[in-house]
């Protein structure tokens, strides 16, 4: 993979050096998602709006499907200036900017409206700018949904129902602490192994957003889907500062405006994807449960306490988000 990336970067550099000088600037944008994904559709809107606003002076060349490597590798290419932009999960960015960690806190947001008030307001914009010292300037957030529990053996209606259940989680300490705080047995497991693990009873269930629940086919072997929406970690559209610093003031305005408009479009694409996925789940016969979220939030309060203990400088940020 590393050789493939280096080879592609060399080819790009050769292509650019061979072009005749024009007024057109090309923004190379790499991401890992398939072209059917709502976030990719949002990126297509970014491409369309930017080229329209700049009257063709700024063009976007998109490399989807992980053509240039993983999210981590795309960030490295951004930092050295080999590509101009990328889309990654905020969870990946927490390795550079600690403030992105807060988005993993369970039940941080009351609802979608609260989440976007935070992301698109002063707090969210401040976090986007903090990556600039690592050559990773945030442009906007994309909706990446909310994760909820699904199980094959027992319905989860209250936190009490989680007791004794083995729930697959990402290898993330906050997710592990959340499930364990409710009495469940958090079980980190590779995503590719999860279907068989649920089918064979190695785990009792897992957690994810509706489009992923469907695209993974996990709905085929899960009887219950509990929409507790415990975490909502957004995706982030980034531009490398090496590319950003080469743009004129007007070009920067065009890029930011295109990003903002694409974020609004992506929300609609995501909602449509969720609606479609939930219909598939319902038609398959999975029982959809809408629990009292406050009960789950109360049980997981210790996770926030531990987070603030590890990152004391984040306490004010967490409090500001909760009261926003």
């Amino acid at each position: 993979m590393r050789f493939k990336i280096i080879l592609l970067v060399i080819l790009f550099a050769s292509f650019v050096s061979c072009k005749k000088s024009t007024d057109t600037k090309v923004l190379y944008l790499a991401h890992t998602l398939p072209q059917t994904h709502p976030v990719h559709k949002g990126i297509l809107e970014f491409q369309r709006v930017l080229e329209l606003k700049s009257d063709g002076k700024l063009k976007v060349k998109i490399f989807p499907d992980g053509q240039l490597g993983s999210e981590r590798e795309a960030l490295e290419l951004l930092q050295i200036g080999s590509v101009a932009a990328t889309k990654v999960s905020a969870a990946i960015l927490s390795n550079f900017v600690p403030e992105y960690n807060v988005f993993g806190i369970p039940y941080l947001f009351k609802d979608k409206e609260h989440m976007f008030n935070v992301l698109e307001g002063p707090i969210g914009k401040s976090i986007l700018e903090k990556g600039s010292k690592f050559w990773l300037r945030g442009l906007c957030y994309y909706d990446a949904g909310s994760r909820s529990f699904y199980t094959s053996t027992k319905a989860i209606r209250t936190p009490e129902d989680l007791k004794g259940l083995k729930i697959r989680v990402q290898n993330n300490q906050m997710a592990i602490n959340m499930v364990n705080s409710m009495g469940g047995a958090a079980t980190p497991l590779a995503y590719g192994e999860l279907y068989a693990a649920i089918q064979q009873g190695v785990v009792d269930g897992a957690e994810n957003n509706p489009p992923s629940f469907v695209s993974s086919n996990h709905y085929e072997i899960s009887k219950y889907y509990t929409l507790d929406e415990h975490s909502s970690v957004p995706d982030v559209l980034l531009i490398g500062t090496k590319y950003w610093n080469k743009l004129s003031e007007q070009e920067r305005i065009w890029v930011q405006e295109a990003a903002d408009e694409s974020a609004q479009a992506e929300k609609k694409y995501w909602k449509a994807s969720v609606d479609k996925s939930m219909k598939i789940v319902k038609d398959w016969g999975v029982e959809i449960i809408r629990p009292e979220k406050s009960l789950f939030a109360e049980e997981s309060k210790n996770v926030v306490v531990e987070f603030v203990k590890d990152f004391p400088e984040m306490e004010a940020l967490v409090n500001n988000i909760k009261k926003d």
Side-chain angles (χ1 to χ4, degrees):
M1 176 60 76
R2 175 63 58 186
F3 174 78
K4 173 182 165 186
I5 292 172
I6 293 172
L7 177 61
L8 283 166
V9 171
I10 291 171
L11 288 172
F12 294 161
S14 300
F15 173 75
V16 172
S17 64
C18 290
K19 282 183 68 178
K20 292 181 180 179
S21 178
T22 69
D23 291 334
T24 302
K25 294 179 182 176
V26 180
L27 185 154
Y28 292 117
L29 193 159
H31 69 79
T32 60
L33 297 172
Q35 296 177 55
T36 54
H37 198 283
V39 171
H40 176 76
K41 294 177 182 177
I43 290 171
L44 288 176
E45 186 68 5
F46 171 71
Q47 177 189 55
R48 185 190 71 80
V49 174
L50 182 56
E51 293 184 7
L52 184 65
K53 283 181 177 290
S54 69
D55 196 24
K57 293 183 177 66
L58 292 177
K59 291 190 175 293
V60 181
K61 174 67 175 173
I62 303 170
F63 296 88
D65 298 305
Q67 291 177 27
L68 302 190
S70 66
E71 289 195 337
R72 180 75 192 209
E73 289 167 329
L75 288 176
E76 291 172 359
L77 291 175
L78 218 66
Q79 289 178 311
I80 64 177
S82 295
V83 298
T86 190
K87 185 292 308 171
V88 301
S89 169
I92 297 290
L93 286 170
S94 65
N95 295 311
F96 301 90
V97 182
E99 283 81 359
Y100 280 109
N101 277 300
V102 301
F103 297 134
I105 292 176
Y107 309 101
L108 177 67
F109 302 115
K110 295 189 283 286
D111 50 34
K112 282 283 188 185
E113 182 181 6
H114 176 216
M115 182 179 82
F116 284 113
N117 282 344
V118 171
L119 296 181
E120 295 169 359
I123 294 174
K125 290 177 181 177
S126 171
I127 295 174
L128 287 176
E129 292 171 3
K130 289 182 182 295
S132 293
K133 60 185 174 184
F134 301 103
W135 306 287
L136 304 169
R137 180 185 179 86
L139 291 172
C140 68
Y141 298 96
Y142 287 143
D143 192 354
S146 299
R147 301 178 77 91
S148 293
F149 294 115
Y150 53 89
T151 49
S152 62
T153 55
K154 175 185 175 184
I156 298 172
R157 304 181 193 280
T158 69
E160 183 74 19
D161 295 324
L162 271 162
K163 287 185 168 38
L165 293 185
K166 291 172 288 185
I167 302 296
R168 183 269 177 184
V169 295
Q170 295 171 301
N171 192 13
N172 172 278
Q173 196 57 51
M174 201 175 298
I176 292 169
N177 292 345
M178 178 195 66
V179 170
N180 290 343
S181 71
M182 297 180 193
T187 309
L189 189 70
Y191 194 59
E193 300 172 11
L194 184 51
Y195 190 100
I198 296 173
Q199 195 173 42
Q200 296 166 12
V202 175
V203 295
D204 299 296
E207 41 87 57
N208 217 321
N209 58 60
S212 296
F213 184 39
V214 170
S215 65
S216 63
N217 294 321
H218 293 167
Y219 71 97
E220 297 175 349
I221 51 173
S222 302
K223 296 179 182 177
Y224 312 100
Y225 194 22
T226 302
L227 299 178
D228 67 299
E229 299 180 324
H230 47 259
S231 65
S232 302
V233 180
D235 281 344
V236 184
L237 180 63
L238 300 154
I239 189 167
T241 56
K242 293 196 177 214
Y243 187 89
W244 179 261
N245 292 337
K246 294 176 183 176
L247 299 177
S248 68
E249 188 59 37
Q250 180 58 68
E251 288 170 336
R252 292 178 185 178
I253 291 171
W254 288 330
V255 169
Q256 188 61 62
E257 287 178 347
D260 292 340
E261 290 187 33
S262 74
Q264 299 309 311
E266 190 272 342
K267 285 184 199 177
K268 296 174 184 175
Y269 295 135
W270 185 269
K271 184 181 183 305
S273 180
V274 168
D275 292 345
K276 180 180 179 182
S277 299
M278 290 304 296
K279 185 179 186 309
I280 292 171
V281 169
K282 185 177 179 180
D283 290 348
W284 187 264
V286 175
E287 182 181 348
I288 298 168
I289 300 160
R290 290 179 168 81
E292 178 55 58
K293 296 180 189 178
S294 62
L295 299 176
F296 292 82
E298 181 66 26
E299 288 296 314
S300 62
K301 283 199 306 188
N302 241 11
V303 178
V304 185
V305 173
E306 290 301 313
F307 174 74
V308 170
K309 193 183 296 183
D310 292 338
F311 299 95
E313 70 279 10
M314 300 293 177
E315 185 171 12
L317 176 60
V318 173
N319 290 337
N320 286 336
I321 288 175
K322 284 183 172 288
K323 73 181 182 184
D324 190 278

